[in-house]
Amino acid sequence: MRIGSYWRISLFCFAGLAFAEEPTPSAVVVPGPTVELKGTLLEKGTRNPLAGVNVFILPHKLKATTDDKGEFTIKDVPAGAFQWVVNASNYDRFEKNDEQTAGSPAEPRVFYLKRASYEVYETTVYGQADKRELRKRTLSPREFTKAPGSFGDPLKAVQNLPGVARPSPLTARVSIEGSAPQDTKYLLDGHEIPLIFHFGGLTSVVFPETLERVDFLASGYGPENSRALGGIIGAGTRAGRTDKFHGLVFADLTQAGALFEVPIGRGSLSFGGRRSYVGDVLKLVAGSNSNFDLAVAPSYGDLIAVYDTPVGNSDKLRIVGIGSKDALKFLFDSPVGKDANGRGAFSNDTNFYRFIPQWTSKHSEDLTTRVSMGAGQDFIRLDVLDNFFELKQTSVSLRGEAEYKFSPWLTSILGTDNRFSSPSYSFRLPETGSTGPGSGPGGGGSGGQGILGNGTKVATVATADSTELGFFLRNQIEVAGTPFTLLPSLRVDHYTVVKETVVAPRLAARFALDDYTTLRSSVGLYSQTPQPQQTDPTIGSGELKAEKSWHWTLGMEKDFRAGASRGFILSTDLFYKTMHSLVVASQDYVTRNGSLVPERFNNTGAGKAFGLSTSVKYDAQPWTASLSYTLSRSTRFSPDRGENLFNNDQTHVLVALAQVDLGNDWSIGSRLRFVSGNPFTPVTGGVFSSDADRYLRLRGPFFSRRLDAFFALDVRVDKKWIYDTWILSAYLDIQNLTNRGNVEQVSYSYDFARTANVTGLPIFPTLGFKGEF
């Protein structure tokens, strides 16, 4: 009897405790009048409907479950006072007292549940997610958006990845694994755009919230892309939300903008834009800081629109329109008067727009086709002293591919990748081998520095249409009964500007040691055309050929989490590149059309780059951390100089990131960067030239010295306030917290007798706010 009583009492207590956690309905005989109540359950801040959530009414033990729209109905509720209770996983418990009088209309209720945390722990998705590319790193839109220095821009995360050199503060072009900045190609939805970052690299040209992914393709990338000796940085747009109208507005100390998403039929339209005022801010910073020597600053703006809609049951149409405008000018009227090369005018403008329609058809489970076009114009103007270079170009690109799965072990992709451009050049430049951007030691492929000389000026206008035809075949072979995957492929490019066809074989292989460890290797040939000013017959050479490079890679990836949610991921790769047929400046003379004329450029340059790029990620929510390190050496060769260091060579590049969610929608993150200084050519003195009426520099050995190493510690704090129908976010981003004067270049007096270090940004705090609804 005692044992039976004990179990009856225990069961009674257990039932009471269980009900305390989540009420359970029971059949209750309700005397008196009743009412019917309806309502909607939404996520607080985002207004997203919460489906499949139980809604309870106490003390009457009544329950309803929300549908796909978050709506619910509860019948036979006794009139009078009662309490709503919602206890959903990953959300704060919701309780609200209410009452309903019999006979009066029951207004629908709308309840907002607050998520336990609005921090999203999305991290890098490595190449395993895309079997096309062995080394592809795909970054989600939220990847590192709260890392210091990101300005909330996911494309900035690329600069934290292994293999990426630190860009100059006055340019945003990225160098990948020892290649030149101009050896990197930038794509938006598969179509080339002139640049992916605004001047200075402060932010990308694409509104972050319109992006679905950011792809980083380093050495050994696949045949779908080419015309880049270094690598590819690609941005992919996302479809707008179709459930309701959404909006976003933001402003910080450098820029402001807005984005809106509107449902249209079964599709959506997203449109937005940004405008910067960073130049005005830097003026204030420079005016109060004697250590600040950066004399120029960028201003920029961009617009984007994305229309996306399904067509029928299996097709999809997306139309993207984007425009960008950049200007780089002196902060002050008399910027660097102590520098003999800094006297006079300087400005750099880059504008472009693209219209990109895309059509995807899934014909069957085995066959998918994709076609798209990119059409637009580019405008580039560079003024230095009394020299200038101006480019106006109309560009049309066409892409198409058919992917067919022949069997479980063989998938093939056949495609075409074409680009047509009609450029118009106008320039006034020195009549020397060094003709401005992209020339100098190593020429275009070597990424040398342009040196404006004092020879005879050339003023002319030139036009030359260019056609680049590309065809590719990719095969993915899963070797039956083995952990091997082979990816043999072929790329064929025809360049009309250099009258050359390049056949580029590429082979990659993957070997799975186990479910969490993968080895990978690749080898392939890559090519690109010289810079436009180098192929121009007036200031360049009309006899150049394409620059070429062989890539070899060997790497591995190990997921130490082994299926768990916490732990380490290691990814490491060895890379080796040999470059040949690089364009270099020439002082020789050649016979053309019976006349002896300057050769200016030829393809006798060569180069090599090799090294190790590795990253370690640690995920243990609420902590996330990553460490990337690149060890490399990059050299260039020309017949007149022999072999020397590449001017963008950075021996060590170390980037450490850490972030923690502090709770209550607070988070804090930090970034530490250490980078070897770039090589530079020292000036040993100057001699006065009566013809030029100025001092001319005397150079030491090319790229024989390095700038001081770069070091910066950045910190960022984020906070969110969650309201029923919108979210307010604020962040404080402090760059260069230690106020270190990092040397960006060496400045010389007018006679080259004295030197001074030109430093980059001092400590630079940025406060920003964003509202989402």
Side-chain angles (χ1 to χ4, degrees):
M1 292 295 294
R2 290 181 180 178
I3 294 176
S5 300
Y6 172 80
W7 281 110
R8 283 194 295 271
I9 294 172
S10 298
L11 289 172
F12 178 82
C13 293
F14 177 81
L17 289 172
F19 178 74
E21 287 299 319
E22 179 172 287
T24 55
S26 61
V28 177
V29 178
V30 181
T34 62
V35 295
E36 179 179 282
L37 299 179
K38 296 183 178 182
T40 306
L41 193 61
L42 305 175
E43 183 177 88
K44 191 172 185 178
T46 66
R47 299 172 294 144
N48 293 330
L50 299 177
V53 177
N54 293 329
V55 179
F56 295 91
I57 291 182
L58 298 181
H60 308 301
K61 304 179 184 179
L62 300 174
K63 181 186 81 169
T65 302
T66 58
D67 60 16
D68 291 341
K69 297 181 180 180
E71 297 176 351
F72 63 88
T73 301
I74 302 181
K75 299 181 179 180
D76 299 325
V77 180
F82 55 89
Q83 183 185 47
W84 297 97
V85 176
V86 183
N87 195 19
S89 177
N90 298 320
Y91 288 86
D92 292 348
R93 181 182 176 90
F94 175 85
E95 295 181 358
K96 181 180 174 128
N97 294 324
D98 200 353
E99 64 177 326
Q100 181 65 48
T101 304
S104 62
E107 294 293 332
R109 271 64 168 176
V110 179
F111 301 140
Y112 297 92
L113 260 64
K114 186 176 184 296
R115 199 192 307 165
S117 174
Y118 285 76
E119 302 301 323
V120 181
Y121 301 99
E122 290 190 73
T123 52
T124 305
V125 180
Y126 291 95
Q128 299 281 29
D130 185 349
K131 293 185 177 181
R132 285 194 183 191
E133 298 285 353
L134 296 187
R135 300 188 61 202
K136 178 178 179 179
R137 296 171 185 257
T138 298
L139 310 180
S140 74
R142 299 183 180 93
E143 179 68 31
F144 296 130
T145 55
K146 293 184 178 178
S150 71
F151 289 94
D153 196 320
L155 275 161
K156 294 273 289 182
V158 170
Q159 299 181 19
N160 297 326
L161 294 176
V164 178
R166 186 184 78 89
S168 161
L170 299 184
T171 179
R173 298 193 69 86
V174 174
S175 298
I176 299 176
E177 294 182 337
S179 295
Q182 60 266 27
D183 295 344
T184 301
K185 188 167 71 172
Y186 306 98
L187 304 178
L188 178 63
D189 285 343
H191 293 270
E192 187 171 354
I193 56 179
L195 70 165
I196 202 73
F197 296 106
H198 289 296
F199 284 146
L202 293 176
T203 185
S204 68
V205 299
V206 188
F207 209 103
E209 281 76 12
T210 63
L211 295 180
E212 182 179 53
R213 70 186 191 280
V214 176
D215 297 331
F216 173 65
L217 302 177
S219 305
Y221 63 87
E224 289 88 342
N225 297 291
S226 193
R227 307 168 192 147
L229 299 189
I232 306 290
I233 296 176
T237 58
R238 69 169 176 85
R241 288 169 285 187
T242 59
D243 57 333
K244 56 183 173 291
F245 175 79
H246 292 270
L248 177 155
V249 294
F250 81 95
D252 59 32
L253 295 182
T254 62
Q255 59 180 342
L259 175 72
F260 304 99
E261 299 177 57
V262 183
I264 299 179
R266 293 196 297 159
S268 65
L269 173 65
S270 305
F271 59 94
R274 295 176 295 184
R275 186 73 176 88
S276 82
Y277 33 80
V278 65
D280 296 329
V281 175
L282 289 178
K283 266 191 178 182
L284 295 175
V285 173
S288 61
N289 193 318
S290 60
N291 294 324
F292 183 77
D293 298 316
L294 193 62
V296 295
S299 63
Y300 55 82
D302 55 64
L303 297 169
I304 190 169
V306 180
Y307 174 69
D308 188 275
T309 185
V311 180
N313 296 323
S314 58
D315 291 5
K316 183 176 70 173
L317 171 66
R318 179 172 299 174
I319 302 174
V320 177
I322 183 173
S324 173
K325 181 176 182 178
D326 279 81
L328 189 64
K329 291 179 171 54
F330 278 129
L331 281 173
F332 305 105
D333 294 335
S334 301
V336 284
K338 60 187 177 184
D339 187 344
N341 288 314
R343 298 182 297 184
F346 171 82
S347 66
N348 192 356
D349 296 278
T350 302
N351 309 326
F352 79 90
Y353 72 85
R354 287 293 185 277
F355 175 73
I356 308 176
Q358 309 161 60
W359 188 283
T360 302
S361 298
K362 190 171 181 61
H363 304 278
S364 66
E365 290 299 318
D366 297 326
L367 177 62
T368 301
T369 59
R370 306 172 187 90
V371 294
S372 60
M373 178 184 73
Q377 287 190 325
D378 307 329
F379 173 81
I380 300 173
R381 168 109 185 182
L382 172 65
D383 288 272
V384 180
L385 306 178
D386 58 345
N387 303 288
F388 74 89
F389 176 82
E390 182 176 285
L391 165 66
K392 296 179 181 179
Q393 177 172 267
T394 299
S395 177
V396 177
S397 54
L398 299 171
R399 291 187 64 94
E401 65 176 40
E403 179 178 355
Y404 190 76
K405 187 173 183 178
F406 289 94
S407 69
W409 58 271
L410 175 61
T411 300
S412 295
I413 302 173
L414 179 65
T416 182
D417 168 23
N418 308 311
R419 184 169 181 262
F420 312 92
S421 58
S422 180
S424 174
Y425 307 100
S426 177
F427 47 79
R428 184 171 61 246
L429 296 171
E431 178 80 11
T432 66
S434 299
T435 58
S439 63
S446 68
Q449 294 171 330
I451 306 165
L452 292 175
N454 299 300
T456 304
K457 301 293 188 294
V458 175
T460 186
V461 175
T463 58
D465 291 347
S466 173
T467 300
E468 299 172 329
L469 301 177
F471 304 92
F472 61 88
L473 172 64
R474 173 193 283 275
N475 297 293
Q476 180 176 311
I477 304 172
E478 306 284 348
V479 182
T482 74
F484 274 105
T485 300
L486 297 177
L487 296 101
S489 61
L490 182 68
R491 173 89 188 196
V492 179
D493 285 291
H494 177 71
Y495 306 109
T496 60
V497 69
V498 293
K499 302 178 180 63
E500 184 179 9
T501 299
V502 179
V503 179
R506 300 175 192 177
L507 175 64
R510 181 190 299 114
F511 181 79
L513 292 176
D514 54 45
D515 291 340
Y516 308 106
T517 308
T518 302
L519 302 180
R520 58 198 177 204
S521 182
S522 68
V523 61
L525 178 64
Y526 300 82
S527 65
Q528 67 184 26
T529 57
Q531 298 297 295
Q533 66 270 26
Q534 294 169 341
T535 57
D536 182 87
T538 305
I539 60 171
S541 172
E543 301 170 354
L544 296 177
K545 295 299 181 182
E547 300 176 310
K548 304 174 184 68
S549 176
W550 282 93
H551 293 187
W552 288 266
T553 71
L554 176 64
M556 64 87 65
E557 182 174 310
K558 173 68 174 180
D559 189 345
F560 291 95
R561 298 174 302 177
S565 59
R566 300 164 63 95
F568 292 91
I569 300 175
L570 171 67
S571 179
T572 186
D573 290 275
L574 296 170
F575 63 89
Y576 183 76
K577 300 179 183 179
T578 59
M579 291 157 265
H580 62 281
S581 301
L582 298 184
V583 176
V584 295
S586 171
Q587 303 300 324
D588 295 337
Y589 283 78
V590 295
T591 300
R592 292 178 185 149
N593 300 322
S595 300
L596 190 65
V597 296
E599 185 181 34
R600 298 193 183 94
F601 294 103
N602 59 40
N603 286 100
T604 59
K608 62 183 178 181
F610 57 91
L612 166 74
S613 63
T614 186
S615 67
V616 180
K617 294 180 72 273
Y618 179 67
D619 191 353
Q621 300 175 13
W623 282 92
T624 57
S626 68
L627 179 69
S628 70
Y629 173 67
T630 305
L631 173 67
S632 68
R633 181 176 176 85
S634 183
T635 61
R636 296 297 183 270
F637 170 86
S638 62
D640 58 336
R641 287 189 197 123
E643 187 175 23
N644 55 261
L645 280 177
F646 172 47
N647 65 325
N648 276 81
D649 177 72
Q650 296 175 1
T651 308
H652 305 282
V653 180
L654 176 71
V655 181
L657 292 144
Q659 183 179 335
V660 60
D661 178 8
L662 302 174
N664 197 28
D665 301 310
W666 283 90
S667 66
I668 185 171
S670 64
R671 176 176 68 170
L672 183 148
R673 289 182 292 166
F674 174 85
V675 184
S676 298
N678 283 16
F680 72 98
T681 302
V683 175
T684 59
V687 294
F688 184 77
S689 169
S690 57
D691 293 336
D693 192 27
R694 65 189 303 177
Y695 280 86
L696 303 180
R697 69 183 68 196
L698 298 175
R699 296 181 179 276
F702 282 95
F703 303 124
S704 57
R705 293 185 56 190
R706 284 188 182 271
L707 298 174
D708 294 340
F710 174 92
F711 174 84
L713 175 64
D714 309 323
V715 174
R716 175 169 171 142
V717 180
D718 286 86
K719 167 63 178 174
K720 286 185 177 181
W721 291 270
I722 313 300
Y723 300 95
D724 282 348
T725 58
W726 68 292
I727 299 175
L728 174 64
S729 304
Y731 72 85
L732 175 63
D733 194 323
I734 305 176
Q735 297 192 52
N736 195 13
L737 183 66
T738 62
N739 200 30
R740 177 183 170 92
N742 288 298
V743 180
E744 300 294 352
Q745 67 181 58
V746 177
S747 175
Y748 297 91
S749 61
Y750 73 97
D751 58 356
F752 301 101
R754 295 177 302 278
T755 64
N757 290 331
V758 178
T759 57
L761 283 174
I763 182 172
F764 188 65
T766 300
L767 179 65
F769 295 91
K770 179 171 69 174
E772 302 171 78
F773 55 90

